[in-house]
């Protein structure tokens, strides 16, 4: 399926933000990367780069939300976590540790795109809600599910940043191991 200019611009922005951050993503490079004419930016994003970054952040958030939702049929919370972490490992290795989470980049870009941190906060909250709902469906009470979901999102996102810095998946593997142990411990507490 051929993408329209709007979609090419959004997907191109996500890709460049993952690799260069918001400040390092210039319009000239974006236009070349997305094979899009300059007029398409202002036809689709009248406020220019700021609006494009805002929309790219929302879209990246929805893509990850779909990945979280896709783990629902993967068994226990520990199995779903393992599937989610494996997706990040594959992503990091495929990008040779040069591309991270565009939502993290957006969260740090308030000086360039003032609305981006608030949009990133909404995206993170959505991910937490999805994970908490999965945990609640598995029998965790709502406060514990919310706490575990926040811990998982914060730990995994932080580990992704550390993996890029270290050019290694070791930080993500360590975080995944600790989250797995935490989930199993909390599950055993419920059963006791």
């Amino acid at each position: 399926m051929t993408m329209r200019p709007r979609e090419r611009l959004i997907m191109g922005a996500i890709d460049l933000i993952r690799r260069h951050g918001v400040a390092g993503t210039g319009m000239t490079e974006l236009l070349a990367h997305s094979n899009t004419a300059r007029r398409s930016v202002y036809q689709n994003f009248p406020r220019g780069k700021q609006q494009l970054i805002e929309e790219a952040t929302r879209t990246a958030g929805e893509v990850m939300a779909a990945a979280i939702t896709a783990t629902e049929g993967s068994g226990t919370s520990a199995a779903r976590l393992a599937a989610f972490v494996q997706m990040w490992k594959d992503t990091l290795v495929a990008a040779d540790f040069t591309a991270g989470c565009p939502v993290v980049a957006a969260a740090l870009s308030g000086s360039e795109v003032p609305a981006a941190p608030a949009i990133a906060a909404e995206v993170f909250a959505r991910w937490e809600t999805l994970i908490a709902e999965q945990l609640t469906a598995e029998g965790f009470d709502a406060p514990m599910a919310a706490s575990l979901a926040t811990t998982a999102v914060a730990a995994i996102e932080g580990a992704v940043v550390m993996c890029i810095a270290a050019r290694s998946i070791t930080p993500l593997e360590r975080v995944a191991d600790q989250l797995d142990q935490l989930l199993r411990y909390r599950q055993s507490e419920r059963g006791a």
Side-chain angles (χ1 to χ4, degrees):
M1 177 159 97
T2 304
M3 287 193 288
R4 297 185 334 221
R6 178 180 174 79
E7 287 78 27
R8 286 197 315 267
L9 286 165
I10 290 170
M11 298 313 289
I14 290 170
D15 185 46
L16 292 176
I17 292 166
R18 287 180 65 230
R19 292 188 284 124
H20 305 297
V22 172
T25 298
M27 290 307 290
T28 301
E29 181 184 16
L30 175 60
L31 293 171
H33 186 70
S34 64
N35 194 28
T36 307
R38 184 169 293 279
R39 73 179 184 285
S40 293
V41 173
Y42 299 101
Q43 288 172 343
N44 290 286
F45 305 98
R47 290 187 293 114
K49 181 180 176 180
Q50 285 195 18
Q51 186 178 5
L52 175 55
I53 298 303
E54 292 165 10
E55 193 59 35
T57 303
R58 287 185 188 98
T59 300
E62 285 305 312
V63 168
M64 190 61 74
I68 293 168
T69 301
T71 67
E72 284 179 359
S74 302
T76 67
S77 54
R80 289 191 307 272
L81 174 68
F84 187 66
V85 168
Q86 187 60 51
M87 182 274 313
W88 262 118
K89 287 181 191 177
D90 294 344
T91 299
L92 289 165
V93 170
D96 193 29
F97 300 97
T98 62
C101 180
V103 179
V104 170
L108 301 173
S109 71
S111 62
E112 183 150 349
V113 182
I119 294 167
E122 291 171 12
V123 168
F124 290 138
R126 170 91 169 113
W127 298 349
E128 289 176 87
T129 298
L130 289 171
I131 294 168
E133 287 170 353
Q134 291 176 347
L135 291 167
T136 301
E138 194 171 313
F140 286 93
D141 65 49
M144 178 58 67
S147 179
L148 289 169
T150 299
T151 300
V153 171
I156 292 169
E157 288 296 311
V160 168
V161 172
M162 292 175 70
C163 287
I164 292 167
R167 297 190 52 78
S168 166
I169 59 171
T170 300
L172 191 54
E173 289 175 333
R174 289 177 179 159
V175 163
D177 180 57
Q178 289 302 308
L179 289 172
D180 180 67
Q181 289 182 41
L182 177 61
L183 284 172
R184 291 178 193 277
Y185 173 75
R186 292 299 187 183
Q187 285 170 329
S188 70
E189 272 189 332
R190 284 190 357 253

